[in-house]
Amino acid sequence: MSGRGRFAPSPTGQLHFGSLVAAVGSWLRAKSRGHEWLVRMEDLDRTREVPGSAADILATLAAFGLESDLPVIVQSRRRERYEQTLQLLRDAGHVYACHCSRSDLAEFNGVHPANCVRLGSAELAPAAWRVRVGSAQIRFHDAVFGDIEQDLDKQVGDFVLRRSDGLHAYQLAVVVDDAEQGIDEVVRGADLLDSTPRQIFLQRLLGLPTPGYLHLPLVLDEDGRKLSKQLRSRPVDARDPLPALRDALRHLGQHAPSLPSPEATLRAALQRFDPRAIPAINRTNVAMQDD
Ligand code: GLU
């Protein structure tokens, strides 16, 4: 059976160089294994969305020779699926309503304790839904960064699956979508390494398969900060894709030939794709710089 990889941008601005690296890396990895490559638009958080950027990102990807093998899935049209999944967890007693505000949690260093600290309080804010992590310790193998381990209770705490404003959390949506789309390996930026144990935890609660994981080295600016769309750093130029494409391939440690089109460049890079050449940039520094 043929497998699937994916690239899942959030439409919070134009495609920047760091996202291009994730797109190219996930494409090369999927294609080198004879798999399909899908694009999914992660637009759940409408407050962060920049109007027009979803279409702009897709057009930019196409200019780089990167097109989804199946129709693009858009998360904002799939809220019912996320709600059904939340209901399953609610029925099984894995989630609870939580009225804590950020300031309530300050004394816990952001790691949510095993119960809502405001339960029983007179004026309750609208509830978020949190999943109980218990004493879960999650281990997984990343194809670039090696063995990773996280104590969810000490490092993360009970985490939000639906925010108090009704928005389903990324952690829930990504698990539902990766499973439903049959993604068998997730390739994305190393800023999400620390989210992976939460996603594996949810997969286990829901009885879903855990895909393989390969995290790509982040692109940092001169001060060692992650490039993000929020900073509007270096949007790539869809009218002149070759320099950025070659730069992305070099960042991934891959063959970056001088050929006349993005398609020819990608094909040549694919023929010589070597996942062992992808550099594992120190993720601790990266995580500390993350926003
Ligand atoms: N939507 C996320 C982003 O734009 C990526 C999520 C993922 O690949 O799991 O950074």
Side-chain angles (χ1 to χ4, degrees):
M1 192 188 89
S2 164
R4 287 183 183 154
R6 55 42 159 208
F7 172 58
S10 303
T12 53
Q14 289 174 290
L15 192 79
H16 63 93
F17 182 69
S19 293
L20 177 69
V21 166
V24 170
S26 59
W27 186 91
L28 284 172
R29 176 70 164 178
K31 295 292 163 181
S32 70
R33 305 168 99 201
H35 291 179
E36 288 175 316
W37 182 76
L38 312 186
V39 176
R40 175 167 78 226
M41 204 45 78
E42 297 203 329
D43 63 344
L44 277 184
D45 189 349
R46 282 290 160 75
T47 60
R48 291 177 56 223
E49 183 167 347
V50 173
S53 62
D56 188 70
I57 288 172
L58 294 176
T60 302
L61 288 172
F64 279 82
L66 297 163
E67 284 185 80
S68 182
D69 291 319
L70 291 175
V72 173
I73 277 194
V74 179
Q75 285 189 326
S76 57
R77 299 199 197 120
R78 292 172 45 74
R79 293 184 203 283
E80 249 172 67
R81 300 288 302 115
Y82 310 137
E83 192 53 35
Q84 283 163 4
T85 308
L86 183 65
Q87 188 62 48
L88 284 178
L89 294 170
R90 212 181 275 150
D91 293 346
H94 293 304
V95 295
Y96 60 90
C98 173
H99 304 269
C100 301
S101 64
R102 245 167 237 238
S103 55
D104 292 328
L105 296 176
E107 63 176 297
F108 300 98
N109 295 325
V111 176
H112 196 276
N115 279 303
C116 174
V117 296
R118 279 182 69 119
L119 268 189
S121 133
E123 353 127 33
L124 291 181
W129 286 89
R130 286 185 190 268
V131 63
R132 286 177 219 286
V133 297
S135 57
Q137 189 182 53
I138 305 287
R139 287 198 192 94
F140 71 99
H141 181 79
D142 182 86
V144 167
F145 288 87
D147 293 328
I148 312 271
E149 193 175 301
Q150 196 178 56
D151 281 327
L152 280 185
D153 58 341
K154 295 199 191 71
Q155 290 167 264
V156 180
D158 292 350
F159 57 96
V160 171
L161 298 186
R162 201 181 75 186
R163 292 178 1 186
S164 57
D165 60 5
L167 277 187
H168 296 102
Y170 156 71
Q171 308 292 356
L172 175 67
V174 75
V175 164
V176 171
D177 291 347
D178 283 338
E180 211 167 292
Q181 292 192 287
I183 304 301
D184 61 357
E185 187 178 56
V186 170
V187 178
R188 59 188 176 193
D191 53 326
L192 290 162
L193 259 177
D194 289 341
S195 281
T196 303
R198 269 171 274 182
Q199 294 169 21
I200 294 174
F201 174 75
L202 287 178
Q203 289 152 7
R204 291 181 187 167
L205 275 190
L206 291 162
L208 299 172
T210 290
Y213 286 96
L214 187 159
H215 287 83
L216 300 168
L218 289 186
V219 181
L220 305 178
D221 68 13
E222 298 79 41
D223 301 323
R225 283 188 313 236
K226 189 189 126 188
L227 289 191
S228 67
K229 277 169 279 196
Q230 286 83 345
L231 291 175
R232 299 274 145 65
S233 307
R234 291 175 72 187
V236 293
D237 187 353
R239 288 160 310 175
D240 184 23
L242 287 172
L245 181 56
R246 282 198 286 269
D247 210 5
L249 289 166
R250 278 192 294 270
H251 182 75
L252 291 166
Q254 305 301 313
H255 177 52
S258 290
L259 290 168
S261 73
E263 288 79 7
T265 307
L266 283 173
R267 265 199 309 277
L270 180 58
Q271 271 169 7
R272 291 183 37 189
F273 176 64
D274 180 4
R276 289 162 309 181
I278 300 173
I281 289 176
N282 183 330
R283 75 178 179 106
T284 314
N285 288 344
V286 167
M288 280 165 55
Q289 303 290 349
D290 202 3
D291 45 18

